[in-house]
Amino acid sequence: MEFSHVVLLILASDVITSVDIKRRSRVFNNYMQDRSYISRYCTTKIDLAFVIDTSRSIPHEDFTRQIRFIEDIVGFLDVSPENTRVASVAFSNYNFPEFGFNNFSRKEDVLNAIKGIKHSMGDATRTYLALEYTHENIYRRGNGERPDVADVVIVLTDGKTNPGSYDKYGDESGKRQTQIEAAIIKARPALIFVIGVGSLVDIDELNGMSSDPDEEFTIQVSSFEALDTDAVKRTLLSRVCVALGTTIPQLRLTTPAYKVPDRPDRSKYCQTKVDLSFVVDSSRSIPHIDFTRQIRFIEDIVSFLDIGPDMTRVASVSFSNYNFPEFGFNNLSREQDVIHAIKKIKHSQGDATRTYLALEYTHENIYRPGNGERPDVADVVVVLTDGKTNPGSYDNYGDESGKRQTQIEAAIIKARPAFIFVIGVGSLVDIDELNGMSSNPDEEFTIQVSSFEALNTDAVKRTLLSRVCVALGATTPPPLLFSTSVNIPDRPSSYCQSNVDLAFVVDTSRSIPHIDFTRQIRFIEDIVSFLDVGPQKTRISAVSFSNYGFPEFGFNNFSRKEDVLKSIKRIDHSQGDATRTYLALEYTHFILYGHGNGERPDVADVVIVLTDGKTNPGSYDKYGDENGKRQTQIEAAILKARPAFIFVIGVGSLVDIDELNGMSSDPDEEFTIQVSTFEALNTDTVKRTLLSRVCVAVGTTTAQPQQYVSTSPPTSPPCRRAVADIFFIADSSTSIGITAFNELKRFATSVVNRFTIGPTHIKIGLITFSDDAEIQFKLNTYGRKSDIINAIFNIPYTTGITNTHKALQLLYKDGFTRASGERGNTVPKIAIVITDGASTKPFNTKMQAVKAKNQGIIIFAIGVGPYIDQKELDIIASTPTSKYSFSVDSYAALSSIESSLARRTCRVAVHRNP
């Protein structure tokens, strides 16, 4: 059984709101009046370590409160050798080991040891030392940590990392080191809770240490007096319990059976087993009578299904300003109990619609292993909402960023794989957001209805049920592993129809005999032969490594499968005397997946690492073996954070399974493959195992007809047949700042990357402006996408005032001219203006925008940040402004409109073509 590891970081910070405390602790009110109920918390076994700030910034009276808080937390747990074990380390200018998992077996001895923790009052806060000690010693094998038990670490501090005079780190470097050590703990995998006490903490540091989502794993309180209250203790305990996959007193399990009227006329839909979860909007924008209709709709859908432990299981989460777990797959096994639980879903009437929280809870908890989800049963999620994502005042997201976060969480669910059906009710929904959440095709998985009264009709219920049934009938889960007696298909392209950017990281060290190296190369060739390789399909790259990293070829180098296979054959057996895996992984994320090198932002990234041993820096670096292994895992973590899937294949008896698992994506049993020899590697069984797992990871399976897909021939994506002359106009004024200007350049390159570039397709030019306007490059300067992207990255940041009018004037006078590469009136002329504020001369800006548009230039206007003049932005933009005017909260949020801008630009380029 797989367990999560949980790290709980308690730091001193801002305030946990009374509303949040009341919401999170309301279920405890009847269960914590005396100590007789303490054993109800987290009966799951835990290996729990406290990491405690003892620096001088904490007054001694507050330090005493902190110790009392820890005592009370332990008092609520079942401490013994067979249940929860406890360890501790303190820190300030140094780390001070207190006691380990093996030291005490009785709760009273643990409590006495906690009382004995000294207030060191050091003059620094080297949090990273304590975290390093935690993963290097407390959780080291042989020190009492149990591999089959969840790990929980609680760290308490009242401030941000401060290396003082003890390290070469500055404050920022120290903060980064703290987050690196936290990342290593989370990579166990581990969940990190962070509690900040007081006003001196750094919220970015807390969130960087804590697991995601921050609002669940970072807890902020105003003082140590507030820390030492029942409300905070209950909040902490409940969140730990949820993270571990348990709950506090199981109220729903004791609910008396509810008698559902017999419905003999209702035949059951979908005899196939399903793990079905409902994600239910309970925000205040839904009138209570309509919320009642929504609940009745869900009840009726469930009543049409065959509910039971061995048939369909049902779970639910509701959401508004927070997410509210309702019940899981394990909680209820009878139809009448499920329907009764649905009736009890509360109308929370929150003032926000944080859809992303509910979707995150869905993949992190509802479908978490051990919570009743069955790996051999289809997963279906039904989302109901009456509006678009609205973070309100609860997050730093704007509406567009919140929408993007919702789509990211939905994408994670779909990648399980799972089907997502989205039902949008009323006129306030955002159809782009609904389609971004739902599975493909949108016309099958997105359902729009005019009202909740219309939702609660037989026609809509039958539509949803029939589409669910068709989807399940099209993709009944195939077996992922094949016996060796099964023949390899004649058409290797039957694997993974999804586009993939696939990189091989290949060990060529001397520990591999040459005959085995040949087998390894043959294995890679066979894997590639099963894929549909092409510029618009799967792209391949490779890097090899031993004592050095050896670039082989990139995504841009070859477009035909035969050329890729020839290049794989040419990979040299370098036979170096070291295995510096970290160099190859660093090259992979910096170069192979670097901007402009052929990696596509809208395509899944997959890395396959092959090695016969553990990292060995040899004499080439200052790393020892352990530090080298750690560096390998750090580089792998950076790749996974793109995000990318990493499959690791370890061959032979010399591999380090901990290192392989540390490199690979989760879960290890899917992404780490061990084989005994290179001869065994080069068998059909291993090849099929890898291919099937890659396909599942990227959200496809071996090719199967899907009955719900339209039989009409697909149309080409608009940008493949688009012809246009496009100028980017980029604000380079002082108000932007160098960091935001770099974000602007990154955004421009991402948009360019979506276009087909060439003399007969799309041509790109770019103008910057501040005090003056300047053409950085013309339409005829560069003919290749890679050259354009490199040119954008090399544009200097100038600073100055915001003379937008000069850029618009330069656009039509010098930009769109024959001399600059403009192709005349038969080719659309498009400008994309990006600015962060009102222009210095608004009247001139208006006049130049009118002149530009009168010459047939289509202008997209993008305003960034809080100081934009929306009226001026709409004047600059073409009409209708709903299509041509955009605004986002920050330059970092530009990526949220990237897809929409590229799509609209392409439509203009296609539809205006003669």
Side-chain angles (χ1 to χ4, degrees), residues 607-646:
V607 180
I608 298 175
V609 182
L610 297 102
T611 184
D612 80 321
K614 58 188 179 182
T615 297
N616 166 28
S619 60
Y620 298 89
D621 284 316
K622 61 183 184 295
Y623 302 130
D625 288 350
E626 279 302 311
N627 287 336
K629 168 182 171 179
R630 182 165 166 254
Q631 191 62 30
T632 290
Q633 293 178 334
I634 287 172
E635 299 298 342
I638 294 170
L639 268 172
K640 289 182 279 191
R642 289 186 53 80
F645 295 110
I646 302 184

Side-chain angles (χ1 to χ4, degrees), residues 623-907:
Y623 302 130
D625 288 350
E626 279 302 311
N627 287 336
K629 168 182 171 179
R630 182 165 166 254
Q631 191 62 30
T632 290
Q633 293 178 334
I634 287 172
E635 299 298 342
I638 294 170
L639 268 172
K640 289 182 279 191
R642 289 186 53 80
F645 295 110
I646 302 184
F647 291 86
V648 181
I649 304 177
V651 186
S653 59
L654 300 179
V655 295
D656 178 338
I657 185 59
D658 287 338
E659 180 174 331
L660 302 187
N661 289 340
M663 276 192 281
S664 70
S665 298
D666 293 325
D668 300 332
E669 58 268 22
E670 290 299 315
F671 289 89
T672 301
I673 299 173
Q674 273 192 283
V675 293
S676 56
T677 64
F678 282 94
E679 197 166 5
L681 171 73
N682 207 32
T683 59
D684 289 348
T685 302
V686 177
K687 294 168 191 170
R688 293 178 182 124
T689 298
L690 174 63
L691 284 163
S692 63
R693 292 184 184 182
V694 169
C695 293
V696 169
V698 299
T700 68
T701 60
T702 49
Q704 300 179 65
Q706 297 193 0
Q707 296 173 19
Y708 55 79
V709 176
S710 170
T711 56
S712 59
T715 57
S716 299
C719 274
R720 291 192 188 172
R721 51 194 178 90
V723 180
D725 293 334
I726 300 176
F727 258 98
F728 284 88
I729 301 178
D731 189 341
S732 182
S733 59
T734 302
S735 58
I736 290 178
I738 184 64
T739 302
F741 187 70
N742 288 334
E743 291 285 356
L744 184 156
K745 293 194 290 186
R746 193 161 18 250
F747 170 72
T749 60
S750 296
V751 174
V752 168
N753 209 29
R754 292 172 176 264
F755 298 149
T756 302
I757 303 297
T760 60
H761 291 92
I762 288 177
K763 296 165 74 172
I764 302 289
L766 192 142
I767 295 170
T768 57
F769 68 95
S770 53
D771 290 339
D772 291 304
E774 181 181 357
I775 296 179
Q776 296 293 334
F777 56 87
K778 301 176 181 179
L779 296 168
N780 55 7
T781 305
Y782 302 111
R784 296 192 309 167
K785 182 184 292 186
S786 58
D787 293 335
I788 293 170
I789 288 173
N790 286 334
I792 293 172
F793 275 122
N794 288 324
I795 291 171
Y797 173 52
T798 56
T799 73
I801 60 175
T802 311
N803 279 330
T804 317
H805 68 285
K806 291 187 178 182
L808 294 169
Q809 185 179 49
L810 186 63
L811 173 70
Y812 68 80
K813 280 193 170 182
D814 295 327
F816 286 118
T817 64
R818 292 286 186 176
S820 293
E822 182 248 10
R823 288 172 282 184
N825 292 330
T826 60
V827 172
K829 293 178 286 193
I830 299 171
I832 300 172
V833 180
I834 309 170
T835 182
D836 80 326
S839 64
T840 306
K841 297 184 177 180
F843 179 77
N844 291 357
T845 297
K846 176 180 177 180
M847 295 306 297
Q848 297 303 329
V850 169
K851 287 182 179 180
K853 288 184 284 188
N854 285 343
Q855 293 193 24
I857 301 171
I858 305 299
I859 302 180
F860 289 90
I862 302 172
V864 184
Y867 304 114
I868 58 171
D869 182 336
Q870 187 63 50
K871 189 175 293 185
E872 181 178 82
L873 204 66
D874 290 346
I875 289 170
I876 295 172
S878 294
T879 53
T881 55
S882 59
K883 289 186 178 180
Y884 295 101
S885 180
F886 297 82
S887 59
V888 294
D889 299 331
S890 67
Y891 280 93
L894 279 170
S895 58
S896 65
I897 63 166
E898 176 193 313
S899 177
S900 180
L901 174 65
R903 185 169 61 250
R904 293 181 191 182
T905 304
C906 290
R907 284 174 182 164

Side-chain angles (χ1 to χ4, degrees), residues 389 398-408 430 432-433:
T389 295
D399 288 350
E400 282 299 318
S401 300
K403 169 181 171 179
R404 180 165 173 262
Q405 192 61 30
T406 290
Q407 294 178 335
I408 287 172
D430 179 336
D432 287 338
E433 179 173 332

Side-chain angles (χ1 to χ4, degrees), residues 10-11 50-53 66 69-70 91 154-157 227:
I10 304 182
L11 297 114
F50 290 92
V51 181
I52 306 165
D53 187 345
Q66 180 178 229
F69 173 85
I70 299 168
F91 69 97
I154 303 180
V155 182
L156 301 95
T157 184
L227 172 73

Side-chain angles (χ1 to χ4, degrees), residues 550-591:
F550 305 99
E552 298 297 340
F553 54 92
F555 294 120
N556 276 339
N557 291 125
F558 306 110
S559 59
R560 299 187 310 158
K561 183 185 289 188
E562 51 265 45
D563 296 329
V564 172
L565 292 172
K566 285 177 184 176
S567 295
I568 292 168
K569 286 183 191 293
R570 287 198 293 264
I571 294 176
D572 183 50
H573 190 189
S574 65
Q575 301 193 53
D577 58 350
T579 308
R580 296 163 80 194
T581 319
Y582 47 86
L583 287 187
L585 294 174
E586 183 181 36
Y587 180 87
T588 302
H589 66 76
F590 270 119
I591 307 298

Side-chain angles (χ1 to χ4, degrees), residues 12-135:
S13 147
D14 284 317
V15 188
I16 180 166
T17 68
S18 60
V19 173
D20 191 47
I21 291 171
K22 288 175 183 175
R23 179 182 67 79
R24 294 189 175 282
S25 62
R26 63 175 182 263
V27 291
F28 299 95
N29 291 338
N30 298 324
Y31 290 89
M32 289 190 63
Q33 300 305 315
D34 59 61
R35 293 280 169 160
S36 63
Y37 289 96
I38 61 176
S39 63
R40 291 182 180 270
Y41 280 87
C42 295
T43 54
T44 305
K45 303 173 184 180
I46 314 172
D47 287 336
L48 171 63
F50 290 92
V51 181
I52 306 165
D53 187 345
T54 64
S55 58
R56 69 166 60 158
S57 58
I58 304 175
H60 190 68
E61 185 179 4
D62 284 339
F63 181 77
T64 304
R65 290 183 174 115
Q66 180 178 229
I67 293 300
R68 195 180 308 132
F69 173 85
I70 299 168
E71 289 179 64
D72 283 351
I73 293 298
V74 171
F76 278 97
L77 303 173
D78 192 0
V79 177
S80 71
E82 301 305 320
N83 290 296
T84 290
R85 298 181 183 182
V86 182
S88 180
V89 58
F91 69 97
S92 57
N93 48 349
Y94 298 100
N95 63 282
F96 306 99
E98 298 294 339
F99 54 92
F101 294 124
N102 281 337
N103 291 126
F104 305 111
S105 59
R106 299 187 311 159
K107 183 185 289 189
E108 51 264 48
D109 295 331
V110 172
L111 292 173
N112 285 334
I114 291 168
K115 281 182 169 47
I117 294 174
K118 291 183 178 179
H119 190 189
S120 67
M121 301 180 73
D123 59 350
T125 308
R126 296 163 80 193
T127 319
Y128 47 86
L129 287 187
L131 293 174
E132 182 180 37
Y133 181 87
T134 301
H135 64 75

